[in-house]
């Protein structure tokens, strides 16, 4: 099914390219950058749509492919916007949309500030285009009008929840408010769970004709899955090997992200020392010391255990319904990408 999703995505992107080319050459380059941003993902979100639909006895395979492609486009949109928010120029080890347009502006002779503005604008617009394309794809997926209505409600809810989580993430990074572990977990769940896990599971169920109570149960299971995933991703954001993950191991510390890892660390005796490594760029030696403190404080183990508990809760629901989670293999077991090669399994 991932290949079928790729075919559907390629068709959607080709349609976008045609519209862009007919509009303006510069706009066509923006769409090309958007298309590049959609490549290289694991496609587990559309796979979850398919797995749920099939496990529940659905028969709308053509619509499933379209909705799966829409979920993947939604992910692309959030990734592009997230990079703008985090001021990152790299994604998966290569230039992202913002980085591409920043490089073009600098090559053309723009000032650093001008290149920043151009990069940020390109990222915002590309993300907006992907959002619009995702919603349009759902609306034209070929399912019945009532099913399409339910799907659009799910997508709308995921958009609101994710936006709220992203805003909370940035607000908590201001240092004005101190997040407790439960508050940090809620932020993490809103930011990731709604669109990456709850939405695909629920969309597959709606396409299979499931009732609202089952759709709600899958929403809760998706939230638990998303928390487990985000907790491991937070660990990778500090303990990961950038050469293998393609992402910085210092950006979360530099941005003072109030992840559950740091929220827990704040309650430990080591916090006075840990806080000295936040809010600035770190040398390799300083990063090693920060990692050591986060480990000896028990914060790393706390996050690993919490991730494991949430994954178990989610599995209890999906296993009962016979929904295979093979597509998630490797997403919540990230040992190969950790700098110290210590296994972390959610």
């Amino acid at each position: 099914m991932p290949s079928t999703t790729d075919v559907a995505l390629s068709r959607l992107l080709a349609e976008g390219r045609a519209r862009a080319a007919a509009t303006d050459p510069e706009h066509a380059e923006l769409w090309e950058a958007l298309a590049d941003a959609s490549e290289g993902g694991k496609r587990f979100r559309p796979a979850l749509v398919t797995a749920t639909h099939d496990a529940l006895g659905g028969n709308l395979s053509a619509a499933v492919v379209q909705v799966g492609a829409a979920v993947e486009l939604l992910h692309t949109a959030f990734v592009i916007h997230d990079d703008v928010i985090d001021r990152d120029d790299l994604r998966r080890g290569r230039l992202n949309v913002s980085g591409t347009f920043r490089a073009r502006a600098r090559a053309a002779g723009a000032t650093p500030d001008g290149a920043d503005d151009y990069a940020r604008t390109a990222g915002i617009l590309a993300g907006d285009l992907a959002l619009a394309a995702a919603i349009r794809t759902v609306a034209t997926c070929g399912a019945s009008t009532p099913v399409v209505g339910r799907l659009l409600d799910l997508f709308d809810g995921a958009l609101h929840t994710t936006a709220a989580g992203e805003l909370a993430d940035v607000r908590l990074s201001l240092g004005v408010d101190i997040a407790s572990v439960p508050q940090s977990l809620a932020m993490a769940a809103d930011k990731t769970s709604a669109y990456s896990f709850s939405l695909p599971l629920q969309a597959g169920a709606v396409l299979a004709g499931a009732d609202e109570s089952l759709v709600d149960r899958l929403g809760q299971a998706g939230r638990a899955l998303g928390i487990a995933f985000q907790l491991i991703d937070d660990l990778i954001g500090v303990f990961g090997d950038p050469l293998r993950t393609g992402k910085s191991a210092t950006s979360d510390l530099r941005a003072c992200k109030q992840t559950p890892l740091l929220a827990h660390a704040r309650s430990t005796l080591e916090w006075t020392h840990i806080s000295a490594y936040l809010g600035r760029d770190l040398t390799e030696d300083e990063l090693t010391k920060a990692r050591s403190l986060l480990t000896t404080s028990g914060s790393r183990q706390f996050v690993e255990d919490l991730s494991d508990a949430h994954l178990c809760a989610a599995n209890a629901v999906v296993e009962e319904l016979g929904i295979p989670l093979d597509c998630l293999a490797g997403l919540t077991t990230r040992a190969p990408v950790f700098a110290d090669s210590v296994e972390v399994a959610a």
Side-chain angles (χ1 to χ4, degrees), residues 144-166:
S144 67
T145 299
V147 169
V148 169
R150 292 178 73 190
L151 289 171
L152 288 173
D153 283 342
L154 288 176
F155 271 72
D156 190 56
L159 279 165
H160 280 280
T161 302
T162 306
E166 192 70 61

Side-chain angles (χ1 to χ4, degrees), residues 71-91:
V71 171
E72 194 65 24
L73 271 175
L74 185 68
H75 167 60
T76 299
F78 285 140
V79 163
I80 294 171
H81 281 163
D82 194 55
D83 284 345
V84 173
I85 292 168
D86 291 342
R87 301 178 184 179
D88 285 335
D89 279 355
L90 296 176
R91 172 66 62 165

Side-chain angles (χ1 to χ4, degrees), residues 197-268:
F197 297 93
S198 292
L199 175 62
L201 289 169
Q202 290 180 302
V206 165
L207 287 163
D211 59 34
E212 289 300 327
S213 63
L214 180 52
V215 172
D216 288 343
R217 285 185 67 200
L218 285 170
Q220 292 302 314
R223 185 176 178 85
L225 270 175
I227 291 174
F229 173 84
Q230 186 61 51
L231 288 170
I232 293 300
D233 202 53
D234 289 341
L235 287 175
I236 291 173
V238 175
F239 295 96
D241 180 353
L243 295 178
R244 287 179 281 184
T245 65
K247 63 184 292 186
S248 170
T250 61
S251 61
D252 282 1
L253 298 176
R254 182 178 65 248
C256 299
K257 295 280 188 180
Q258 293 204 50
T259 61
L261 175 69
L262 291 182
H264 180 273
R266 189 181 297 275
S267 68
T268 68

Side-chain angles (χ1 to χ4, degrees), residues 5-196:
T5 298
D6 286 339
V7 170
L9 265 175
S10 295
R11 183 170 60 251
L12 292 171
L13 293 170
E15 292 172 357
R17 282 189 180 95
R19 294 192 188 97
T23 302
D24 180 79
E26 290 293 325
H27 179 54
E29 290 187 6
L30 181 65
W31 192 271
E32 288 296 332
L34 190 165
D36 287 343
S38 71
E39 296 178 355
K42 297 178 177 64
R43 302 291 194 256
F44 74 85
R45 296 168 184 85
L48 280 177
V49 178
T50 301
T52 305
H53 168 268
D54 294 351
L56 298 180
N59 59 5
L60 297 179
S61 56
V64 165
V65 172
Q66 294 300 309
V67 174
V71 171
E72 194 65 24
L73 271 175
L74 185 68
H75 167 60
T76 299
F78 285 140
V79 163
I80 294 171
H81 281 163
D82 194 55
D83 284 345
V84 173
I85 292 168
D86 291 342
R87 301 178 184 179
D88 285 335
D89 279 355
L90 296 176
R91 172 66 62 165
R92 302 184 186 117
R94 62 179 184 174
L95 289 177
N96 56 21
V97 174
S98 297
T100 297
F101 278 80
R102 186 190 310 280
R104 288 177 181 172
R106 293 295 289 152
T111 65
D113 287 345
D116 286 346
D117 290 342
Y118 192 51
R120 184 169 55 252
T121 300
I124 292 170
L125 294 176
D128 289 348
L129 288 169
L131 282 174
I135 299 303
R136 183 179 186 276
T137 301
V138 175
T140 60
C141 71
S144 67
T145 299
V147 169
V148 169
R150 292 178 73 190
L151 289 171
L152 288 173
D153 283 342
L154 288 176
F155 271 72
D156 190 56
L159 279 165
H160 280 280
T161 302
T162 306
E166 192 70 61
L167 186 63
D169 188 19
V170 176
R171 176 177 56 80
L172 290 174
S173 298
L174 297 175
V176 176
D177 298 315
I178 302 302
S180 64
V181 170
Q183 288 173 325
S184 184
L185 276 175
M187 176 271 292
D190 288 349
K191 184 179 174 181
T192 301
S193 300
Y195 86 90
S196 286

